[in-house]
Amino acid sequence: MIDIIREFFLSFGSFGLVLWTLVKIMVVVLPITVAVAFYTLIERKVIGWMHVRHGPVYIGQIFGIGVIQPFADTFKMLFKELIVPANAHRFLYRLAPILAIAPALAAWAVVPFDDGLVLSNANAGLLYLLAMTSMGIYGIVIAGWASNSKYAFLGALRSTAQVVSYEIAMGFALVGVLVAAGSLNLTDIVRAQSGNAGFFEWFWLPLLPLFVIYFISGVAETNRAPFDVAEGESEIVAGFHVEYSGAAFAVFFLAEYANMILVSLLASLLFLGGWLSPFQGWTDSWLGAPSALWLFAKASFFAFCFLWFRATFPRYRYDQIMRLGWKVFIPITIVWIVLVAFAGYANWFVVGG
């Protein structure tokens, strides 16, 4: 069906190619936007239940859940006035949200949702992801500086140091995946985890320390609790976006939650077999069949962990965050990369099962 639609668009020549590309982009961007909206609702409900309260109930009440609440909040922010501080740099102030959201959405171009179901099956997809997720910091830095506020600037500086610190550990963790899979292509990485031993074939087992470090670094990269010192409400009055309101604030919000969902999906793809069934090779029923539903189920667990962490752990001190990144995570990843390299040299990893 997808091939028929593609051929229809391509029959119009170069104009059809542009249209087909735009259609593929919208097919990815629109579900992400809807997923972010419902993710905020789920977050408010989960944290409410953990605090023994209800959370959103009344707006669009279905089964005691206010399902339209996130859309009501979105419309409220979109129609609010964007108040630019008097001493702000107006151009950069307006540019910062765009620089935050653009890499967050562009990174999804190489994320496969099933075997062959990907916007761009780039051979250097892992490298592209590292580049895109690193560029989002520019929006935060510019937002903090252009606002001309000491609180916003302090939050931007904190966020910059934090992202740079954990980007190294995250990159080293992905080097271990590269060595094990022998490819930078995300589809090939998932295929390298296939086999007859089910979830024992996945990379979480031989790369367990890298798996844990990658996900914790992902939490730190997205400035989420307990690593949310960049938005420490009790210290710096909401951090780098303290001077933002209306649609601009909503864009920062969208970028943060899109990155959280992205980290959850990548953890599933890189370490937990992606769309592969945990029972693959053990049964011939539908439980053993690869499916995008398996990928979404795994990603949903990691997305829930983001909410769980926020409701459970207190915020780290800034020196604790820096020490964890530089003195704990980076040495562990370096040692494990060496071990994985020796294992790869000994052919302990068999690509494709």
Side-chain angles (χ1 to χ4, degrees), residues 137 142 147 160 326 332:
I137 190 61
I142 292 176
S147 298
T160 303
W326 288 100
I332 291 176

Side-chain angles (χ1 to χ4, degrees), residues 15-311:
F15 178 70
L17 178 60
V18 173
L19 286 179
W20 173 240
T21 304
L22 291 176
V23 167
K24 290 194 294 182
I25 292 174
M26 294 306 296
V27 166
V28 174
V29 170
L30 289 180
I32 293 172
T33 306
V34 175
V36 166
F38 282 105
Y39 193 21
T40 60
L41 173 65
I42 294 170
E43 178 178 31
R44 296 172 68 180
K45 294 298 290 187
V46 167
I47 294 178
W49 291 330
M50 289 183 175
H51 293 169
V52 197
R53 53 185 174 82
H54 294 293
V57 174
Y58 298 106
I59 309 299
Q61 182 176 8
I62 298 179
F63 304 116
I65 299 176
V67 294
I68 309 180
Q69 183 68 53
F71 299 100
D73 293 336
T74 301
F75 289 132
K76 178 189 70 174
M77 287 191 290
L78 290 178
F79 288 105
K80 275 188 173 182
E81 179 183 2
L82 175 59
I83 301 175
V84 181
N87 295 321
H89 192 294
R90 292 181 173 271
F91 174 72
L92 293 179
Y93 179 86
R94 292 183 170 91
L95 180 65
I98 300 174
L99 294 179
I101 190 63
L105 295 179
W108 288 83
V110 296
V111 176
F113 300 96
D114 204 340
D115 197 358
L117 186 58
V118 58
L119 187 62
S120 175
N121 194 27
N123 289 329
L126 207 57
L127 190 61
Y128 172 82
L129 276 171
L130 274 175
M132 287 296 104
T133 53
S134 302
M135 288 179 62
I137 190 61
Y138 290 108
I140 295 175
V141 172
I142 292 176
W145 182 86
S147 298
N148 197 26
S149 165
K150 65 178 73 174
Y151 298 112
F153 189 55
L154 178 59
L157 290 178
R158 284 183 171 187
S159 182
T160 303
Q162 180 173 312
V163 169
V164 169
S165 301
Y166 284 87
E167 190 75 27
I168 300 173
M170 179 180 286
F172 282 165
L174 296 184
V175 170
V177 175
L178 164 63
V179 173
S183 175
L184 284 167
N185 184 286
L186 292 177
T187 302
D188 291 342
I189 290 173
V190 175
R191 290 171 180 166
Q193 301 175 67
S194 62
N196 295 322
F199 61 89
F200 290 112
E201 297 277 358
W202 299 345
F203 288 156
W204 70 272
L205 190 57
L207 305 180
L208 183 58
L210 301 184
F211 171 40
V212 174
I213 289 174
Y214 172 81
F215 186 66
I216 296 177
S217 298
V219 177
E221 286 271 308
T222 52
N223 293 318
R224 292 286 297 186
F227 303 98
D228 59 336
V229 292
E231 303 171 8
E233 290 88 349
S234 60
E235 306 167 28
I236 50 178
V237 202
F240 61 89
H241 51 53
V242 65
E243 300 292 346
Y244 281 87
S245 62
F249 177 78
V251 169
F252 277 119
F253 213 62
L254 175 61
E256 177 180 326
Y257 279 79
N259 281 325
M260 290 163 59
I261 299 174
L262 178 65
V263 169
S264 302
L265 269 172
L266 290 179
S268 307
L269 289 167
L270 300 175
F271 297 96
L272 290 183
W275 54 82
L276 299 177
S277 167
F279 309 106
Q280 189 174 14
W282 296 353
T283 176
D284 294 330
S285 68
W286 63 271
L287 286 173
S291 171
L293 294 176
W294 286 117
L295 174 61
F296 295 138
K298 299 168 188 175
S300 297
F301 169 75
F302 290 115
F304 172 76
C305 287
F306 276 94
L307 316 182
W308 192 1
F309 295 162
R310 177 181 174 181

